[in-house]
Amino acid sequence: MIKAQRGTKDIFGEEIATWQWIFENAKTVFQNAGFEEIKTPIFEATELFNRGVGDSTDIVNKEMYTFSVGGIEKNETSITLRPENTAGVVRSYIEHNMSRQSPPQKFWYFGPMFRYERPQAGRQRQFHQAGVELFGIKDATADTEVIITAVNFLKSLGLADLTVELNTLGCPKCKNDYKNSIKEILAPHLENLCDDCKMRYEKNPLRILDCKNENCKKIFEKDEIKEVILKDYICDECREHFDELKKYLDELNIKYTINKMLVRGLDYYNRTVFEIKSEALGSQSAVCGGGRYDGLVEMLGGTSTPAVGFAMGVERLYTLVDKITPSKTDFFVVSNNTKEAMKLVQKLRENNKSTEFDLQKRKFAKQLEKASKIAKYAIILGEDEIEKNFYSLKNLSTGEQKKIDSFDELLDY
Ligand code: ATP
Ligand code: MG
């Protein structure tokens, strides 16, 4: 038997109503906040992620599904299944010259992402993200808009008690000072850091703070190192930006904690970074990650454009929300006259009523039994009803039955 690939999952049956509900909430909340949907391709040129996610990240180093495709045209191109969607949205923003419109440009997306990771609870190889990206505004109003949209989405799903963790990485200048101090203090410990951290030490030292290796974490706990990590390297302008963001969030009653170890997995972030976590998820506790990436559009070849966004892990959301029971179909037409039944079913569906009938032409009693399992009402279309032109409508939860004289009257149910 051929089975689904490790780290992938069929979503169907009892789960689907909840998935659809999560999607509908994303759509409503994001669109109410003025974000427009964008659907970018599921694969892109590998180079987009190498540059746009960054070659010191776990994603690029270990987790990408990369293929070489030649085919008819013979000139081989390397493509990669998208591991995240910011790079794709930025590519699209640049390609379609969206910076010509007056800012902000605001987009949302919902779709599958692919990362070659060790599958475990809350970690799959094909998973889904719902996210937003906001372009063109450098003010902290944009950071606030993005964070409040994430929080509103979680609230719409009934998830109110999650923690927003916040940090600022500063601009390239503050980031550089920070990097240098970290390199300096860690230099004597370099031998004892894990191989990943040794690589990060060269390529992107801030990312060392994101290491999940227990041994490395212990090193960061040393007093003299901790002091350097927790010290502030933020310039006046970056401080102002961060203070403004915190002020807005306070105003809006959004609770947050400052986490100075929060650097996020991707290379391109500057200033604001944030994560939203739930204790209920165990070790894979983050449902949402986001931040500001003012340098990315220019780095990928566009005109310099500030931007900020987030991505939510939908599978992790799914485990947190109360599950939705699928709703019953409005009508089930019970009849031995298949032709008349079909005609009525068709008319009801044309009027946006969910309606089913028995495709197996079974006996009346069997049809009613099926109807009571899946429908709110049975419409009984017997010989008498057809001849005298009326409907018998049975409420399947109360058992009450009544005579309905016209089709229009049926539509009221
Ligand atoms: P983690 O530290 O858990 O690996 P990350 O920093 O790699 O997360 P991001 O790239 O920020 O994750 O993605 C945003 C969100 O997408 C995460 O907070 C998480 O909810 C979800 N996510 C990331 N990777 C996976 C995965 N392999 N399976 C399921 N959900 C994932
Ligand atoms: Mg990861």
Side-chain angles (χ1 to χ4, degrees):
M1 186 182 39
I2 300 173
K3 291 191 174 168
Q5 292 290 295
R6 220 160 95 76
T8 71
K9 196 173 172 303
D10 301 313
I11 303 165
F12 67 101
E14 281 177 357
E15 294 192 359
I16 212 72
T18 304
W19 270 86
Q20 288 175 340
W21 175 74
I22 294 174
F23 176 84
E24 290 304 327
N25 277 282
K27 181 177 171 186
T28 305
V29 171
F30 297 163
Q31 294 195 167
N32 282 348
F35 292 85
E36 240 176 68
E37 188 174 8
I38 184 165
K39 292 172 189 279
T40 58
I42 275 168
F43 60 88
E44 298 270 1
T46 302
E47 191 196 349
L48 176 68
F49 303 115
N50 286 346
R51 287 168 50 192
V53 177
D55 59 10
S56 77
T57 60
D58 284 351
I59 292 181
V60 169
N61 284 314
K62 305 178 194 162
E63 299 172 359
M64 295 218 293
Y65 279 93
T66 297
F67 308 86
S68 208
V69 283
I72 306 166
E73 287 156 31
K74 287 283 193 305
N75 45 3
E76 287 213 342
T77 357
S78 177
I79 61 163
T80 293
L81 300 184
R82 62 182 189 193
E84 56 91 58
N85 207 29
T86 301
V89 174
V90 170
R91 195 250 330 118
S92 177
Y93 177 88
I94 298 168
E95 186 168 341
H96 301 288
N97 244 319
M98 296 185 202
S99 62
R100 276 183 321 191
Q101 302 146 20
S102 80
Q105 292 87 17
K106 299 162 77 175
F107 300 103
W108 70 273
Y109 61 82
F110 191 114
M113 307 295 155
F114 306 84
R115 296 183 194 179
Y116 189 71
E117 303 201 66
R118 192 170 66 79
Q120 53 192 296
R123 203 174 283 290
Q124 290 178 209
R125 291 181 171 174
Q126 175 170 343
F127 62 101
H128 296 73
Q129 285 184 338
V132 312
E133 314 291 352
L134 190 160
F135 295 94
I137 307 289
K138 64 177 196 303
D139 199 275
T141 48
D143 311 50
T144 313
E145 179 92 322
V146 162
I147 292 174
I148 187 101
T149 301
V151 169
N152 286 346
F153 174 43
L154 293 169
K155 271 193 197 153
S156 78
L157 300 176
L159 305 173
D161 56 347
L162 304 184
T163 330
V164 180
E165 289 190 0
L166 210 55
N167 193 18
T168 180
L169 302 176
C171 55
K173 162 89 177 53
C174 340
K175 233 173 137 176
N176 234 3
D177 292 348
Y178 195 19
K179 274 183 198 172
N180 290 336
S181 313
I182 285 183
K183 278 184 93 159
E184 203 177 311
I185 189 79
L186 284 178
H189 303 276
L190 194 52
E191 275 311 297
N192 300 320
L193 294 176
C194 72
D195 287 346
D196 283 341
C197 280
K198 285 185 187 125
M199 184 271 292
R200 291 174 188 137
Y201 188 87
E202 298 306 327
K203 286 191 172 165
N204 188 353
L206 276 195
R207 290 264 300 119
I208 290 178
L209 304 186
D210 198 41
C211 188
K212 308 221 159 72
N213 181 302
E214 289 305 323
N215 192 42
C216 294
K217 282 201 219 164
K218 246 184 242 150
I219 295 176
F220 310 150
E221 285 301 317
K222 287 183 193 297
D223 285 344
E224 73 276 16
I225 297 181
K226 191 136 212 178
E227 194 183 320
V228 169
I229 291 173
L230 296 184
K231 214 179 113 190
D232 260 332
Y233 298 88
I234 302 305
C235 67
D236 288 349
E237 241 180 287
C238 286
R239 164 149 332 281
E240 231 170 81
H241 183 92
F242 198 47
D243 286 346
E244 208 179 331
L245 169 62
K246 289 188 286 186
K247 193 185 71 194
Y248 291 142
L249 293 178
D250 290 337
E251 253 354 288
L252 292 165
N253 250 324
I254 306 292
K255 292 198 180 52
Y256 56 83
T257 55
I258 307 292
N259 175 1
K260 290 231 172 190
M261 296 292 279
L262 184 66
V263 289
R264 306 273 308 121
L266 312 181
D267 279 354
Y268 50 61
Y269 286 111
N270 67 296
R271 289 198 170 162
T272 313
V273 286
F274 67 97
E275 276 189 356
I276 305 181
K277 294 185 177 166
S278 163
E279 292 301 319
L281 285 171
S283 54
Q284 265 67 54
S285 62
V287 286
C288 177
R292 185 167 268 286
Y293 51 96
D294 294 336
L296 186 61
V297 177
E298 190 173 18
M299 201 263 281
L300 289 174
T303 44
S304 169
T305 309
V308 48
F310 71 73
M312 295 256 182
V314 184
E315 278 76 5
R316 295 188 196 173
L317 289 178
Y318 180 89
T319 61
L320 291 176
V321 299
D322 289 337
K323 305 299 177 278
I324 301 291
T325 344
S327 60
K328 289 189 163 177
T329 190
D330 296 324
F331 298 114
F332 193 106
V333 177
V334 174
S335 180
N336 287 329
N337 186 330
T338 305
K339 219 163 56 189
E340 287 304 317
M342 278 179 161
K343 284 199 317 211
L344 178 58
V345 167
Q346 179 65 358
K347 241 169 111 183
L348 285 162
R349 288 179 183 167
E350 278 170 357
N351 282 276
N352 278 329
K353 294 290 183 187
S354 58
T355 312
E356 294 208 49
F357 71 109
D358 189 46
L359 295 175
Q360 292 158 286
K361 302 182 178 174
R362 288 176 302 187
K363 299 229 162 60
F364 231 76
K366 280 273 176 221
Q367 292 188 22
L368 253 179
E369 198 184 307
K370 171 86 178 174
S372 60
K373 281 189 194 138
I374 67 164
K376 296 175 199 158
Y377 294 96
I379 301 173
I380 294 156
L381 212 53
E383 275 168 32
D384 213 28
E385 280 88 354
I386 295 172
E387 197 175 309
K388 297 186 186 139
N389 225 343
F390 69 95
Y391 311 96
S392 298
L393 184 77
K394 183 170 180 167
N395 181 326
L396 293 166
S397 53
T398 63
E400 183 198 358
Q401 187 163 326
K402 44 171 134 160
K403 185 166 171 261
I404 305 280
D405 289 316
S406 76
F407 180 76
D408 284 346
E409 205 182 318
L410 263 190
L411 294 180
D412 293 338
Y413 286 88

Coordinates of all heavy atoms in Angstrom, one line a residue, residues 59 115 117 122-124 127 129 212 264-265 275 284 286-289 311-313 316, ligand 1:
I59 N 16.4 26.9 7.9 CA 15.6 26.6 6.7 C 16.4 26.4 5.5 O 16.3 25.4 4.8 CB 14.6 27.8 6.5 CG1 13.6 27.9 7.6 CG2 13.9 27.7 5.1 CD1 12.5 29.0 7.5
R115 N 9.0 22.0 4.7 CA 10.3 22.0 5.3 C 10.7 20.6 5.7 O 9.9 19.9 6.3 CB 10.3 22.9 6.6 CG 10.0 24.4 6.4 CD 10.1 25.2 7.6 NE 9.6 26.5 7.4 CZ 9.5 27.4 8.4 NH1 9.9 27.2 9.6 NH2 8.9 28.6 8.1
E117 N 12.0 18.6 8.0 CA 12.3 18.6 9.4 C 12.0 17.2 10.0 O 11.3 16.4 9.3 CB 11.5 19.6 10.1 CG 11.6 21.0 9.6 CD 11.1 22.0 10.7 OE1 11.8 22.1 11.7 OE2 10.1 22.7 10.5
G122 N 3.4 18.9 16.4 CA 3.5 20.4 16.0 C 4.6 20.7 15.0 O 4.9 21.8 14.7
R123 N 5.1 19.6 14.4 CA 6.2 19.8 13.4 C 6.0 18.9 12.2 O 6.2 17.7 12.4 CB 7.6 19.7 14.0 CG 8.7 20.4 13.3 CD 10.0 20.3 14.1 NE 10.0 21.2 15.2 CZ 10.1 22.5 15.1 NH1 10.1 23.1 13.9 NH2 10.2 23.3 16.1
Q124 N 5.6 19.4 11.1 CA 5.4 18.5 9.9 C 6.3 19.0 8.8 O 6.9 20.0 8.8 CB 4.0 18.6 9.5 CG 3.0 18.0 10.5 CD 1.6 18.1 10.0 OE1 0.7 18.1 10.9 NE2 1.3 18.2 8.7
F127 N 3.1 21.7 6.1 CA 2.3 22.3 7.1 C 1.7 23.6 6.5 O 2.0 23.9 5.3 CB 3.0 22.6 8.4 CG 4.1 23.6 8.2 CD1 4.0 25.0 8.6 CD2 5.4 23.2 7.6 CE1 5.0 25.9 8.4 CE2 6.4 24.2 7.5 CZ 6.2 25.5 7.8
Q129 N 0.5 27.8 6.7 CA 0.7 29.1 7.4 C -0.4 30.1 7.0 O -0.7 30.1 5.8 CB 2.0 29.7 7.2 CG 3.2 29.0 8.0 CD 4.5 29.7 7.8 OE1 4.7 30.4 6.8 NE2 5.4 29.5 8.7
K212 N 18.8 25.8 20.1 CA 18.0 25.0 21.0 C 18.8 24.0 21.6 O 18.3 23.2 22.4 CB 16.8 24.4 20.2 CG 16.1 25.5 19.4 CD 14.6 25.3 19.4 CE 13.8 26.6 19.1 NZ 13.9 27.0 17.7
R264 N 14.5 35.3 16.4 CA 13.7 34.8 15.3 C 14.7 34.1 14.3 O 15.8 34.4 14.2 CB 12.9 35.8 14.5 CG 12.0 36.6 15.4 CD 10.6 35.9 15.5 NE 10.1 35.6 14.2 CZ 9.8 34.3 13.8 NH1 10.0 33.3 14.6 NH2 9.3 34.1 12.7
G265 N 14.1 33.1 13.6 CA 14.9 32.2 12.8 C 15.5 32.8 11.5 O 16.4 32.2 10.9
E275 N 6.8 36.9 18.8 CA 6.3 35.6 18.7 C 5.1 35.5 19.6 O 5.0 36.2 20.6 CB 7.3 34.5 19.1 CG 8.3 34.1 18.0 CD 9.2 32.9 18.3 OE1 9.1 32.4 19.5 OE2 9.9 32.6 17.4
Q284 N 6.9 22.7 21.2 CA 6.7 23.5 20.0 C 5.6 24.6 20.3 O 4.5 24.5 19.9 CB 6.2 22.7 18.8 CG 7.2 22.2 17.9 CD 8.2 21.2 18.5 OE1 7.7 20.2 19.1 NE2 9.5 21.5 18.5
A286 N 5.4 28.0 19.8 CA 5.1 29.2 19.1 C 4.0 28.9 18.0 O 4.1 28.0 17.2 CB 6.3 29.7 18.4
V287 N 2.9 29.7 18.1 CA 1.9 29.6 17.0 C 2.1 30.7 15.9 O 1.7 30.5 14.8 CB 0.4 29.8 17.5 CG1 0.0 28.6 18.2 CG2 0.3 31.0 18.3
C288 N 2.9 31.7 16.3 CA 3.0 32.8 15.4 C 4.4 33.5 15.5 O 4.9 33.6 16.6 CB 1.9 33.9 15.7 SG 2.0 35.4 14.7
G289 N 5.0 33.8 14.4 CA 6.3 34.5 14.4 C 6.2 35.6 13.4 O 5.6 35.5 12.4
A311 N 3.6 35.1 10.4 CA 3.1 33.9 9.9 C 2.6 33.0 11.1 O 3.3 33.0 12.1 CB 4.2 33.1 9.1
M312 N 1.4 32.5 10.9 CA 0.9 31.6 12.0 C 0.9 30.2 11.5 O 0.6 29.9 10.3 CB -0.6 31.9 12.1 CG -1.0 33.2 12.6 SD -1.4 33.1 14.4 CE -1.8 34.8 14.6
G313 N 1.3 29.3 12.4 CA 1.2 27.8 12.1 C -0.2 27.3 12.3 O -0.7 27.2 13.4
R316 N -0.7 24.1 14.5 CA -0.6 24.4 15.9 C -1.9 25.1 16.4 O -2.4 24.8 17.5 CB 0.6 25.2 16.2 CG 1.9 24.3 15.9 CD 3.2 25.0 16.4 NE 4.3 24.3 15.7 CZ 5.6 24.8 15.8 NH1 5.9 25.8 16.5 NH2 6.5 24.1 15.2
Ligands
ATP1 P1 10.2 26.7 15.2 O1 11.1 27.4 16.1 O2 9.0 26.1 15.9 O3 10.9 25.8 14.2 P2 10.2 28.7 13.2 O4 10.9 29.9 13.8 O5 10.9 27.8 12.3 O6 9.5 27.9 14.3 P3 8.6 30.4 11.5 O7 9.4 30.2 10.3 O8 8.6 31.6 12.3 O9 8.8 29.1 12.5 O10 7.1 30.0 11.1 C1 6.0 30.6 11.8 C2 5.1 29.6 12.4 O11 4.9 28.5 11.6 C3 5.7 28.9 13.7 O12 5.5 29.7 14.8 C4 4.9 27.6 13.7 O13 3.7 27.8 14.4 C5 4.7 27.3 12.3 N1 5.7 26.3 11.8 C6 7.0 26.4 11.5 N2 7.5 25.3 11.1 C7 6.5 24.3 11.2 C8 6.5 22.9 10.9 N3 7.5 22.3 10.5 N4 5.3 22.3 11.2 C9 4.2 22.9 11.7 N5 4.2 24.3 11.9 C10 5.4 25.0 11.7

